[in-house]
Amino acid sequence: MTLSRTTISGGQRKNRPATGFNRLMLRTIVFCLVSACLPLAAAALEIDADSQYSFARQLFANQQYLRAAAEFQRFVFFFPRDSRVPEAGLRIARAYLHAGRYRQALKAADKLAHAGYGHQITARAYFLISRCYQLMNSPTQAIATLHNLTTLVRDPAIDDQVAYRLGWIYLEQGNWEKARESFEKVGPERRPDLGIDPILTDLSRADDLPRKNPTLAGVLSLVPGGGQLYCRRYQDALIAFGVNAGLVWAAWESFDEGHQALGTLISFVALGFYMGNIYGAVTDAHKFNRQQTGRFVDTMRRRHLDDRGFVYFRHPGHGAPAAPALALRITF
Amino acid sequence: MRALQRIRDLGRGNAGLVVFLIAFTLWSAAPALAGDRESATGGSLVSSLDLIRSVLTRADSDRCPMAPSCSAYARRAFRRHGALTGWIMTCDRLLRCGRDEKRLAPRIRINGRIFIYDPIENNDFWWSKKK
C-alpha cells in the first residue's frame, strides 16, 4: 500500500494527464487478471465427491496410509450424505491399522460400530476392532469383541466369519483344541470358500509337534546342565555344568581350607548360578515350545491365508530364528 | 592351582570386605524381597552395574555379543523383577551368553554390528505379565 501511494503521488507531481492514463491502464490490467483468474480459482476450489474418494483410495493403494486416512476424513466431512461415508469410515480405520496406529484405528472402528449403519458395516467394524486388539497383543479382548458381535447381529454368514476368525486367533495362541472347535462351527455352505477342511486337516498335525516339558527340564537341571541337554542346548549344558561344578568345588575348597568368608562369597555366587541354571532350563523348554508353535502357525498362514488377500503384520514374540517377530495377517 | 591360591589369598586379606559385600548385597535385596521393588531398583545393585558399564566396559571394550548386553540385561532384570529374580535371571543370561543362543535366537543390527537378540521379554514371557 505504501509503495503504490508513493508512486501515484510521485506521478501526480510530474504529470497529471499521464497519471490518469496510468490509472486507467492499471485498472484494465487488474480487471483482466482477475477475470482470467476467476475461472481458474473456481476450478481449483471445486471438490467433487468422486474425485475426492478416488484420490483417497489411490493414496491407500499406494500405501500412504496416514494421508489416505486424512483424505477419507475430508471426504466424510465434506460429503456427509454420500452413500460411501460408511465405507470411508471403514477405510479410515483400515488405513490407521495398516499404518500401525492401532489405537486410532480402534477409535475409528468403534465410532463406526456404534453409528447404526446396518449390520454389515457394524460387523466389519467389529472385525476391525477385534483385529486391533489382536495386534495390540490383547487376544482376550479380540475374542470378547467377536463374541459380542454374535450376540449383537443375528446372521449365519457373520456367525461363520466370527467362528473362522476365532479359529485363527486360537490357532495363533497355540490353542489347537479351541481353534479346531471354532473352525468346525463354520457352516457347510461357507466351508469351501473359507477353506475349512484343509485347515482342519493341517491342524490335526499340531498334536504331533515336538514339545518339551518345562517341569521336566527344571527337574533335570537339578544336575546342572541336564535341563539344557534335554532342550538340545548342548553348549549351554556344558557351560552350566562346568561353571556350577567349578564354583561348588571352589566353595568346598575354601571352606576346607578355613577361608569362611571366601567360601561364603563363592557359595552365594554358586547358588545364583545354580538357580539360574534351573531357571534357564525351564525358560529354554518354554522357548522351544513357543518356537515350534510359531513355526507351525507360520506354516498354516502360508498355506491357508496367502491366496485370500490377507495382510501381513508383525509383532514380537514368535517366529523362526531369522525373524524376530510373529507374522500375523488381517482381513476385512 | 595358582588361581586357587590367589583366591585363597584374596580371602585371607579381604575377609572383612567380602563379608561386607555379601551383607551389602543382601541388604540391597531386602526391599525387593519385601515387595518394594522400586526402592530396590534405585539401590546399590543398579549403581554397581552402572559402574561396571561406565568403567569396565570402557576399559575392555563392548565385547558382549548379545543385545541388550549382559550388564544392560541385568540392569533391566533388577529393575523389572527386583534383586532376587534379577540376580537369578542375570546368572542364567551369563551362562547362555554367546553360546546356543547364536544358533537359536534372531539377529539384530545395531550401529552396523550384528548382535544376538535376547531381550528380557524373551526370558520371562512364560511367567511375567509385565510389558
Side-chain angles (χ1 to χ4, degrees):
Chain A
M1 284 303 284
T2 315
L3 245 173
S4 60
R5 239 183 248 155
T6 312
T7 313
I8 290 164
S9 65
Q12 276 173 344
R13 273 199 300 273
K14 282 178 186 172
N15 192 341
R16 275 178 185 276
T19 304
F21 178 73
N22 285 345
R23 274 187 188 165
L24 185 64
M25 280 298 289
L26 188 67
R27 281 177 187 169
T28 310
I29 289 165
V30 169
F31 177 76
C32 290
L33 279 172
V34 170
S35 310
C37 289
L38 265 175
L40 284 172
L45 285 171
E46 191 180 334
I47 299 171
D48 173 51
D50 288 337
S51 56
Q52 176 66 33
Y53 193 78
S54 63
F55 176 58
R57 283 191 67 172
Q58 194 185 344
L59 287 172
F60 192 97
N62 291 339
Q63 301 182 352
Q64 296 183 46
Y65 297 118
L66 290 179
R67 284 190 66 199
E71 292 303 329
F72 278 121
Q73 279 168 337
R74 199 191 304 272
F75 173 82
V76 171
F77 182 81
F78 283 113
F79 307 101
R81 294 186 190 285
D82 194 285
S83 59
R84 289 165 294 186
V85 165
E87 188 64 35
L90 283 170
R91 283 178 180 272
I92 290 167
R94 278 181 64 187
Y96 281 131
L97 198 69
H98 281 274
R101 305 277 181 99
Y102 303 135
R103 292 210 173 274
Q104 280 172 287
L106 190 66
K107 202 175 161 186
D110 192 60
K111 192 178 163 188
L112 203 66
H114 298 100
Y117 282 127
H119 74 270
Q120 281 297 336
I121 295 291
T122 305
R124 287 170 72 185
Y126 266 82
F127 289 146
L128 275 167
I129 293 169
S130 168
R131 190 59 67 178
C132 287
Y133 280 128
Q134 205 179 346
L135 292 167
M136 287 157 70
N137 285 327
S138 301
T140 316
Q141 289 265 48
I143 291 166
T145 304
L146 291 175
H147 282 303
N148 287 345
L149 177 62
T150 51
T151 55
L152 199 72
V153 178
R154 302 278 180 195
D155 183 338
I158 289 170
D159 287 347
D160 285 346
Q161 275 285 333
V162 167
Y164 178 73
R165 283 158 194 268
L166 281 173
W168 275 106
I169 294 173
Y170 286 127
L171 198 148
E172 281 166 1
Q173 284 185 306
N175 193 339
W176 316 131
E177 197 50 49
K178 282 209 166 188
R180 207 172 286 136
E181 275 176 26
S182 295
F183 285 128
E184 278 168 357
K185 279 182 190 166
V186 175
E189 311 89 62
R190 272 166 287 272
R191 279 190 165 219
D193 292 342
L194 296 171
I196 298 297
D197 293 331
I199 290 175
L200 285 171
T201 309
D202 281 351
L203 196 53
S204 63
R205 290 179 202 147
D207 299 327
D208 303 330
L209 284 178
R211 313 292 289 180
K212 298 289 176 193
N213 186 338
T215 312
L216 181 61
V219 170
L220 287 173
S221 269
L222 292 174
V223 175
Q228 284 82 353
L229 211 59
Y230 168 66
C231 294
R232 299 180 197 167
R233 289 177 172 246
Y234 306 113
Q235 289 181 40
D236 287 355
L238 190 68
I239 293 295
F241 183 79
V243 168
N244 278 285
L247 285 168
V248 168
W249 178 65
W252 180 275
E253 281 289 315
S254 298
F255 284 123
D256 201 36
E257 295 290 323
H259 307 301
Q260 304 298 328
L262 179 65
T264 311
L265 177 69
I266 295 174
S267 300
F268 180 69
V269 174
L271 192 66
F273 276 95
Y274 184 68
M275 289 193 292
N277 143 70
I278 295 171
Y279 178 88
V282 176
T283 307
D284 291 342
H286 281 288
K287 277 183 187 172
F288 181 89
N289 294 343
R290 189 172 73 158
Q291 197 176 47
Q292 293 296 325
T293 304
R295 281 181 184 168
F296 179 76
V297 172
D298 275 348
T299 310
M300 289 291 287
R301 282 201 212 96
R302 270 198 297 276
R303 283 193 188 159
H304 301 288
L305 294 182
D306 270 359
D307 301 329
R308 297 173 185 280
F310 282 75
V311 184
Y312 270 100
F313 276 88
R314 293 194 167 266
H315 67 79
H318 294 257
L326 168 68
L328 193 68
R329 288 177 186 79
I330 58 165
T331 185
F332 304 98
Chain B
M1 289 306 286
R2 192 178 290 172
L4 186 64
Q5 189 59 43
R6 275 187 195 167
I7 294 170
R8 283 172 183 169
D9 294 343
L10 181 79
R12 277 195 198 104
N14 302 298
L17 178 67
V18 166
V19 172
F20 169 75
L21 278 174
I22 293 174
F24 188 64
T25 311
L26 289 172
W27 167 77
S28 63
L33 295 171
D36 185 9
R37 285 180 178 161
E38 280 305 311
S39 60
T41 58
S44 58
L45 288 172
V46 173
S47 307
S48 309
L49 286 166
D50 287 342
L51 190 74
I52 290 169
R53 294 182 75 185
S54 62
V55 178
L56 290 184
T57 306
R58 267 189 204 170
D60 74 342
S61 80
D62 181 13
R63 293 185 300 172
C64 183
M66 314 283 272
S69 66
C70 290
S71 58
Y73 183 94
R75 200 174 194 281
R76 286 205 65 194
F78 285 124
R79 277 199 182 283
R80 200 167 152 125
H81 298 303
L84 184 66
T85 313
W87 171 236
I88 293 170
M89 290 185 77
T90 303
C91 290
D92 162 50
R93 171 61 174 274
L94 289 169
L95 288 173
R96 288 185 294 108
C97 179
R99 279 173 272 278
D100 281 308
E101 290 296 337
K102 269 186 189 172
R103 167 172 67 84
L104 297 167
R107 305 297 161 92
I108 187 168
R109 186 184 287 271
I110 301 169
N111 293 332
R113 267 183 72 189
I114 293 174
F115 292 89
I116 301 157
Y117 186 60
D118 181 51
I120 203 157
E121 293 79 15
N122 280 7
N123 296 287
D124 67 358
F125 67 93
W126 55 276
W127 62 274
S128 174
K129 298 283 177 198
K130 289 182 182 175
K131 290 185 179 175

